[in-house]
Amino acid sequence: MNMRVVPALALATLVAAPAFAASSSHGGGGFVGGLMYSLNDPVTHTAFLAFAVFLIIAWRMGALKAITSGLDKRADDIRNELEEARNLREQAAEALALAERRQQDADKEAEAMIAQAKEDAKRIMEDARKELADRLTRREALAEARIARAEAEATDEVRRAAADAATQAAKRLLAEDTAVDQFEAAAREIETALAN
C-alpha cells in the first residue's frame, strides 16, 4: 500500500465519523448535513481538527509503525506460544505412551516373576519329596541291614550253641558208649540241635 494513501484514508475516516454521528443526531440532511454541522459547530470542528493533527503527528513520528510492529510482535509471540503448547502436548503424549509401555512391561515382568516363583516352589517341593523318600529308603535299608545283622548274629549264636551242645554231647558219649555208637548218637544230637 502506498504510504501517501494511508494519511488520506485516515483523514477521510476522521472527517466522516463526526459527520455520521452529527447526521443521525441532528435531524437528517444525510452525510452532507452532518458534515456542514460539524464545520459550523466550533467545538466539534476544533476537536476534529485536533484529532486529525494528532493522528498526522503520530503517523509522522512512526507511531503507526510502532503499533503495527507491536501487533506483529504480539502475533509472533502468540504463534510461538501456540507452537510451544503444541510441542508440550506432543511431549506429554509421548511421556504418557512411554509410561503406559513401562507399566505394561512392569506388569509382564511381575507376571513372569510370579510364574517363576511358582515353578521354583513346585521344584523345591518335588526336591523335598524326593529327598524325604531317599532318606526313608536309606533308613529302611539301614534298618533292614541291622535286622539282617541281628539275624545273622542270632544264627551264629544258635550255631555256636549247637556246636557247643554237640561237643558236650560228643564228650559225654565218648565217655559212655563205644566209638561207633557214640558217633551215631552225636550226629543225631547235632541234627536235633540244628533243627531247633
Side-chain angles (χ1 to χ4, degrees):
M1 184 181 277
N2 192 354
M3 292 311 261
R4 293 183 183 202
V5 173
V6 173
L9 287 176
L11 184 61
T13 304
L14 290 175
V15 169
F20 279 124
S23 68
S24 64
S25 64
H26 292 302
F31 176 74
V32 176
L35 186 58
M36 292 310 293
Y37 174 76
S38 66
L39 292 176
N40 289 334
D41 184 22
V43 176
T44 305
H45 186 68
T46 305
F48 171 72
L49 288 178
F51 186 64
V53 169
F54 170 75
L55 286 179
I56 290 171
I57 292 172
W59 174 68
R60 283 294 187 177
M61 293 183 73
L64 295 178
K65 287 181 185 178
I67 291 171
T68 56
S69 66
L71 290 175
D72 289 343
K73 184 180 180 309
R74 180 68 180 143
D76 290 341
D77 290 345
I78 291 171
R79 198 173 298 115
N80 290 338
E81 288 177 6
L82 288 174
E83 185 65 29
E84 185 178 347
R86 188 177 304 114
N87 290 339
L88 288 174
R89 187 181 72 216
E90 290 173 1
Q91 290 174 358
E94 290 174 3
L96 178 63
L98 179 63
E100 288 175 351
R101 278 195 305 268
R102 286 183 180 170
Q103 179 66 34
Q104 290 173 352
D105 292 345
D107 290 343
K108 289 178 184 176
E109 187 175 334
E111 289 174 2
M113 289 173 72
I114 290 170
Q116 183 64 37
K118 287 180 180 178
E119 290 177 13
D120 290 345
K122 285 181 183 178
R123 186 177 36 81
I124 289 170
M125 288 298 292
E126 289 174 4
D127 290 346
R129 286 181 185 147
K130 287 178 183 177
E131 186 177 339
L132 181 61
D134 290 345
R135 283 184 185 177
L136 290 176
T137 303
R138 281 190 300 243
R139 285 189 180 183
E140 186 178 324
L142 185 60
E144 288 176 359
R146 285 181 184 168
I147 291 170
R149 195 174 337 125
E151 286 177 355
E153 288 175 1
T155 305
D156 287 343
E157 282 184 30
V158 168
R159 284 186 183 155
R160 273 191 297 249
D164 288 343
T167 304
Q168 287 177 2
K171 284 181 186 177
R172 252 186 308 138
L173 286 176
L174 284 177
E176 295 177 6
D177 291 332
T178 64
V180 173
D181 291 334
Q182 291 176 357
F183 180 74
E184 288 176 7
R188 279 187 292 242
E189 282 186 30
I190 291 172
E191 284 180 13
T192 307
L194 286 177
N196 292 334

